[in-house]
Amino acid sequence: PPHPAPSPWGNMDSEGSGLPRQPSASPPVEQPAAPVPASEPGTSPEPDPKPDGKGQGKGTEEQKKPTSFWISWDSLQRRVYLSKWVALSCSKDQTAKIWELNSLECRGTLGGYHEGGVRCAAIDRKTLMAVTGADDGSMCLWAMDRYECKEQWLSGKYGQQVCVSADWEHERACTGTAEGILCYWDIKRLGLRSTVAAHEGARITKVLFDGGIGHALTASDDGRVRKWDVNEPEIKCLGTFDGHSDSISALFADFSRNRVLSGAADGSLTFWHLQSRAVLAKLEGHSDKINNFDVDLDKGMAVSVSDDETARVWDVLSGKSLGVLEGHTLAVRDVKANFDDSICVTCSDDTTLRIWDLVGRTCLAVLEGHMDRVTCLSANWKKKQILSGSDDFTLRLWDVEKHWCDETFFGHAGPITMLC
């Protein structure tokens, strides 16, 4: 029999759904839009674009990306004004780190410019600036609130930057190098104003600076302390303090009271008059290198620490030893004293810290936890806390009253060289 005429709808599909099957010659049919994925439970679907064009293109304000800058939450400045403890640590890993010790967190790393271990630093909590010096001779000026480098001096022309002293109010600073060069800086733009061969061929170990009068003190491996007038047009030597027979390893000065205390590698301590350079007292008792001391001229007292494994309490006006603090089994590296409460804390190569009673000359507690020698300390006596830095790459925060470790801070990849 003859075939029936084909239906304009074509044949029905094989599954009997009742929908016509399109003939192959028919024009393409627009495909339906992809289904909108179902939203997660408890969430609302994205709103459709508005018909008038609003909402297209840039549209509503994008959600701000989270920032790690201090100003994105409580600013560093506000934390400082609220007496929250902010510290800066320097390390041989070529970086410095900012620590907020109330929240027990690292808030930023200052790095990327130094190509040697960061040896020295100075900070200004008023302007939130910091300056660092490194073994490669470079200097960097940092904004601590954003932990970004504002200025840099990347030349190693004058040798390793060993020590720095900054007067932020007068925007000036002095550094001492391993080549014996005293450098005078404009700290605002980190511009080098002038230099002088302060101790030619001998490493400068300490530098102290008073921008108000424009005077600086340098101490060196040649066993001499020198006083300098750094006011332009050139740096002039105002005098030399002779008396030590070995390298100067510790230095303190009060420019307003004209007093200087110096300690040497031969174990000697000398108390000087700054203007006349006369010896006021010699503090005898240590038998090895003086590593550091803490001085209070109002009370006329000092506490010194030495490689002879002891600390000593002094009457600096008379030069008399008031007692010996014995207990460490290796060299004692640093000391922080609270003369009002008559206590001090020392740290040592034996990996421990010790808390001492300055009146009874007795050890109140031994703080253990570091795995390598402890090289530097920073104190907050209002909060009764001590921060220690070690060659084990860590910092530890200690409670002086409860005699325990509040927190251990990791992050550095090298020994800690300085705390401020």
Side-chain angles (χ1 to χ4, degrees):
H3 293 287
S7 169
W9 296 103
N11 296 326
M12 295 294 181
D13 64 0
S14 60
E15 296 182 0
S17 60
L19 296 177
R21 179 160 48 88
Q22 297 293 336
S24 58
S26 61
V29 179
E30 184 179 354
Q31 298 296 324
V36 178
S39 58
E40 294 292 333
T43 62
S44 57
E46 293 291 331
D48 294 329
K50 296 182 179 180
D52 58 0
K54 294 182 180 180
Q56 298 181 4
K58 187 173 181 180
T60 57
E61 183 179 0
E62 296 180 356
Q63 183 179 3
K64 294 183 178 180
K65 296 181 179 179
T67 175
S68 55
F69 293 156
W70 284 82
I71 59 172
S72 64
W73 41 286
D74 289 331
S75 70
L76 173 59
Q77 187 174 27
R78 182 169 178 269
R79 288 176 170 263
V80 172
Y81 286 163
L82 291 176
S83 299
K84 294 189 176 181
W85 190 9
V86 177
L88 183 73
S89 62
C90 303
S91 171
K92 290 184 180 180
D93 66 4
Q94 306 178 9
T95 70
K97 289 183 180 290
I98 304 170
W99 305 91
E100 206 278 90
L101 301 178
N102 289 79
S103 62
L104 307 178
E105 293 176 319
C106 176
R107 287 302 182 186
T109 299
L110 311 181
Y113 294 89
H114 295 302
E115 294 183 354
V118 182
R119 183 68 54 177
C120 56
I123 63 176
D124 180 31
R125 288 181 168 82
K126 183 177 180 180
T127 60
L128 309 179
M129 302 298 290
V131 61
T132 55
D135 288 343
D136 63 349
S138 62
M139 296 282 294
C140 288
L141 180 67
W142 306 88
M144 291 178 62
D145 56 343
R146 290 180 174 266
Y147 44 90
E148 65 182 11
C149 183
K150 307 298 290 185
E151 303 288 346
Q152 62 270 351
W153 170 275
L154 303 181
S155 171
K157 177 180 179 180
Y158 301 107
Q160 175 192 40
Q161 298 290 345
V162 179
C163 47
V164 60
S165 179
D167 189 323
W168 297 94
E169 181 180 355
H170 295 91
E171 299 179 347
R172 295 291 184 268
C174 287
T175 60
T177 76
E179 304 298 327
I181 307 298
L182 173 63
C183 302
Y184 181 48
W185 302 86
D186 179 346
I187 199 70
K188 185 176 182 179
R189 59 183 183 88
L190 202 62
L192 184 61
R193 302 186 69 90
S194 56
T195 63
V196 65
H199 302 266
E200 194 167 358
R203 176 190 180 96
I204 296 179
T205 56
K206 301 291 179 181
V207 62
L208 300 174
F209 173 61
D210 187 329
I213 59 177
H215 288 177
L217 285 175
T218 57
S220 170
D221 280 347
D222 62 9
R224 295 181 175 89
V225 176
R226 286 195 169 122
K227 181 181 177 182
W228 303 89
D229 183 348
V230 298
N231 293 304
E232 275 95 3
E234 61 182 14
I235 301 176
K236 297 179 180 179
C237 181
L238 301 178
T240 301
F241 299 77
D242 285 314
H244 291 291
S245 60
D246 210 335
S247 170
I248 309 297
S249 51
L251 187 66
F252 163 84
D254 188 324
F255 288 92
S256 62
R257 299 187 184 186
N258 290 314
R259 294 295 184 267
V260 177
L261 180 63
S262 57
D266 60 3
S268 62
L269 285 157
T270 305
F271 193 47
W272 311 82
H273 190 280
L274 179 58
Q275 292 285 27
S276 65
R277 302 188 301 280
V279 176
L280 301 178
K282 288 192 174 182
L283 290 61
E284 299 178 347
H286 284 297
S287 59
D288 209 335
K289 177 183 177 181
I290 307 297
N291 288 316
N292 212 340
F293 41 61
D294 203 351
V295 184
D296 186 340
L297 290 183
D298 289 332
K299 297 185 179 298
M301 295 180 64
V303 182
S304 60
V305 293
S306 167
D307 276 358
D308 64 8
E309 304 175 7
T310 68
R312 284 181 177 263
V313 186
W314 305 93
D315 181 335
V316 294
L317 302 180
S318 65
K320 181 182 179 181
S321 175
L322 301 178
V324 183
L325 309 179
E326 297 180 299
H328 286 295
T329 58
L330 289 175
V332 189
R333 292 292 167 187
D334 201 1
V335 58
K336 295 298 178 186
N338 183 350
F339 293 98
D340 291 332
D341 293 340
S342 297
I343 63 171
C344 76
V345 179
T346 57
C347 64
S348 169
D349 285 359
D350 63 12
T351 74
T352 68
L353 290 81
R354 286 177 178 259
I355 304 175
W356 305 89
D357 176 10
L358 295 179
V359 177
R361 324 288 188 243
T362 57
C363 180
L364 302 177
V366 179
L367 307 179
E368 299 177 320
H370 282 294
M371 304 301 294
D372 207 332
R373 69 173 187 162
V374 189
T375 56
C376 48
L377 299 173
S378 180
N380 186 334
W381 294 114
K382 290 183 179 180
K383 295 181 178 296
K384 307 296 183 182
Q385 290 179 321
I386 287 284
L387 183 67
S388 60
S390 170
D391 279 2
D392 65 5
F393 305 179
T394 69
L395 293 87
R396 284 180 177 261
L397 184 64
W398 307 87
D399 190 307
V400 177
E401 287 186 330
K402 298 177 181 178
H403 303 164
W404 65 38
C405 179
D406 285 331
E407 187 63 53
T408 302
F409 300 101
F410 301 89
H412 279 297
I416 311 302
T417 58
M418 182 181 181
L419 294 173
C420 56

